[in-house]
Each structure stands twice: as structure tokens, then as C-alpha cells.
Amino acid sequence: MRTQNSATGQITIAVAATGSLRTETAGSVSGTGASEARAGSAAEAAVDPRSRGTLLAGLGVISFSLTFPSTVWGLESFGPWSLVAVRSTLAALIAGAFLLAGRVPLPERHHWAGLAVVACGVVIGFPLLTTLALQTSTTSHAAVVVGLLPLTTATVAAVRTGRRPSRTFWIAAVSGAVVVLGFTLQQSGGSFSTGDLYLFGALLVCAAGYTEGGRLAALMPGWQVIGWALVLCLPLMAVASAVTLSIEPVHLTAHGVIGLVWVAAGSTFFGLYVWYRGMAAIGIPKASQLQLAQPLLTLFWSVFLLGESLPLAAPVAAVAVLVCIAVTQRAKS
């Protein structure tokens, strides 16, 4: 009996020890998990929202820089009107699918006017006017003209929001615009073409769309801003697609299909999604100045993808523009 009691006592001690070990182990794991969670939260808190916003806006600029070469590819298969209509329709369907999957509620009534401005400027106006321009202008020429977009956006934003960037900001922004404008005039022989008029009109409507979209992105997620703007255009663009496809000839090629897919999914949806998120984080004026790099990126793509000749003045313009970007990013806004 003593032996049994002793054995039983030993077993009891063993079980108790095991239980204690399990408890300590669980506590240790729990403590480790809590420490990791706290470390993760600290790491997330350590990430500078402005740095993340700059990164997102930069991704948007890269996406936009591929728009003109992709449009030229798309024009191999589609007419200008059908290309714009179909790209907007496809982008709206993608956006609608994301909104439905996320069960996103409808925007408040007072947001619809701003979304209409985004739709008219970014979804319809800019793609249509630039596509018409690219029928007569080269990609590189169109790229440097659209380099004026940052200054245009900053000006429209200042009027719309009532914010006044610093004098240093404006000097750097105007300097960058002058560089781009001088580059454009030097390459076009000192005069503006009909395509340039389309491009200047595109600047105005796009600046208005960017400004209103940036304002709305501070009130709702950026992808919802462009998503609802695209969905707002869907009925009109679906009808326009049916009509234009029946009028303009379609000759499907690999380049044409790739170009259409990119301008719909890459430039129109993804590009605007990250762009509006970036603008909400770092502000409209500073985000718009990142687009000073867009013409130079597009010049690279025009050579790499389209085989266009790179202007000799491009490296000089690139250095000058990058200096302007650095100044505007450091200036108070």
C-alpha cells in the first residue's frame, strides 16, 4: 500500500509537474505572442504615413507613365472613341466587382457631385483627349506636354481647397513646369499643334479630377473614390462601347489587346487607386509634383516599347526635373 501510495504520489507529482510545465509553456507562448504583437504594432506605428503616401503616389506615377505607350498599342486594334469607351467599361466592371466583394455601401449623397467631377475629368475627359492627341502626336511629345500637369493640379487645388503652398514650393513647381515646357517647344520646333491643344485640354480636366479625387480620398478610401467614379460612368460607357465598336473597325492584335488591358486595369483602376491614396497621405500639391517624373518615365517606355528616338535633351531635362521634385518635397505646403 505504501508502495502504491508512493507510486500514486509520484504519478501525482509527475502530472502536477507536467501541468505546471504546460502552464508555463503556454504562458511563455502567450507572452511571446503578446510581445510580437506589440512589436508589430510598434513597427507599424514607426512607418511614416507620408513615406507610405509618397510610395503609393510614386506607384501611381509609374502606372500612368505606361498609359501613352499602352494607348498607342491599343490604337493598333481599336479606334480612338471605341478604345476610350471599352477601357472605361472594363475598368468600371473591375471596380464594381471589388465594391460588391467588399460590400461597400453607397457614398453619401453630398459626395456624388465630387465623384462626377472625378468621372468627367479622369475617367472620360483625360483618356479621350489624350487618345485623340496621340493620333497625330508622338508618345514622347505628348509625355512632355503632360508634364505640365503637376503645376496645373497644384493651381487648381489651391483655388479649390483654399490652401496656399509656400513661395519655395511655387518657385520649384514653376521651374519644373518651365523646364518641361521648354523641352516641349524645343522638340516641336517652337510651335503648338492641334494635338497639343487636345493635351492642354486634358491637363485642365485631369487637374480638376485629381483635385476633387484627392479631396474625397481624405473622406473615404482612395480605391472607393475611383471605384464609384468608374461605376458612375458605366451606363454611359457601356452604351458608347456598343455604338463605337459598331462604327469603328476592330483589328485585334497582341499589342492592341495588351494595350487595352493595361489602360483599363493598370492605368485607370490600379494607378488611380494608389494615386488617390498617396494624395490623401501627403497632400495634393506635393503628390502632384511627383508627376514631374512621369514624362521622363514615359520617354523611357516610348523608346523601350515603341522604338521611338530619345531626344538628346532628355537627360538634361531629367536632372532638372528631379531637382525640382526634391525641392517641392521639402518645401512646406
Side-chain angles (χ1 to χ4, degrees), residues 29 59 61 69 80 190 308:
V29 172
L59 286 175
V61 170
E308 294 184 2

Side-chain angles (χ1 to χ4, degrees), residues 78-102:
F78 303 91
W81 296 89
S82 57
L83 178 61
V84 173
V86 173
R87 72 178 273 187
S88 298
T89 300
L90 291 177
L93 291 174
I94 295 172
F98 273 85
L99 292 170
L100 285 175

